[in-house]
Amino acid sequence: MLFRSQDVLGQRLVLENVSTYLMPNAEMSENDFVHEVITRADCELLLDVNNVYVNSKNHQTDAYAFIDAMPKDRIRYLHIAGHEQVSDDLLIDTHGENVCDPVWELLTYTYQTCGVKPTLLERDFNIPTWQQLQHELNIIKDLQNQFSYPQSLRTNTLNIINEVRSEEHTSELQSPCNLVCRLLLEKK
């Protein structure tokens, strides 16, 4: 079906990684599944960063490893949104809340490792004021500007981050977002 659709349209389709709540009898990890579908179907990926985070909490997986496993050359767009926390181990992708800090940090990591991509802030209900939406849009814009520097500098920063993350440091430095800000300030 995907091949036929792409043939008729004359271009690759863009598929999104979905949020999941149960995965009984899964034969492969989510990141392996998404990678396999994108590769075999010769599609592109709309990487929903919030869905990556939601799934990592719902299934006790590593969101950063998921981002690392995605085919970087196939990522076309990014989504970011808020979610509802129902319990410690259940998040629901609602698009009805503000983006939380761990999702902002995962978006930061995604820009670092995958490059800056067009990013959509999703909000389907509980629509805040325009000023509140503009605040979240400005965070996206600021992060995109922060990671729009040359690849060699981005790679050096990522290497330093990975070094620091693997060592014993305070919880403040464990956050990629805080670490990148600190590193950029030190470079000036």
Side-chain angles (χ1 to χ4, degrees), residues 151-162:
Q151 176 65 39
S152 60
L153 191 54
R154 196 165 49 238
T155 301
N156 290 340
T157 302
L158 184 57
N159 289 339
I160 292 168
I161 287 170
N162 286 333

Side-chain angles (χ1 to χ4, degrees), residues 33-59:
F33 175 77
V34 171
H35 191 280
E36 191 74 15
V37 168
I38 296 300
T39 304
R40 281 194 188 189
D42 195 28
C43 293
E44 293 185 332
L45 176 62
L46 187 166
L47 181 58
D48 190 316
V49 175
N50 186 62
N51 286 351
V52 173
Y53 180 75
V54 165
N55 292 348
S56 76
K57 293 303 178 190
N58 290 345
H59 307 297

Side-chain angles (χ1 to χ4, degrees), residues 136-155:
E136 288 190 326
L137 292 170
N138 285 338
I139 293 172
I140 293 170
K141 188 171 109 181
D142 290 346
L143 288 172
Q144 288 177 330
N145 288 336
Q146 183 178 357
F147 292 101
S148 293
Y149 51 79
Q151 176 65 39
S152 60
L153 191 54
R154 196 165 49 238
T155 301

Side-chain angles (χ1 to χ4, degrees), residues 68-137:
D68 289 339
M70 292 301 97
K72 310 299 183 266
D73 60 327
R74 296 294 179 93
I75 299 171
R76 182 71 173 264
Y77 308 105
L78 303 175
H79 276 182
I80 191 164
H83 54 266
E84 179 182 349
Q85 183 159 355
V86 176
S87 67
D88 288 343
D89 60 352
L90 179 60
L91 305 180
I92 306 291
D93 179 36
T94 61
H95 304 170
E97 302 295 330
N98 292 332
V99 177
C100 68
D101 288 343
V103 174
W104 285 122
E105 291 170 5
L106 191 57
L107 178 65
T108 300
Y109 184 79
T110 303
Y111 286 155
Q112 287 174 265
T113 58
C114 304
V116 172
K117 309 287 183 193
T119 304
L120 173 70
L121 173 63
E122 296 180 279
R123 197 64 179 251
D124 295 340
F125 70 99
N126 290 338
I127 309 296
T129 66
W130 173 248
Q131 289 78 15
Q132 290 169 308
L133 281 175
Q134 190 63 50
H135 173 72
E136 288 190 326
L137 292 170

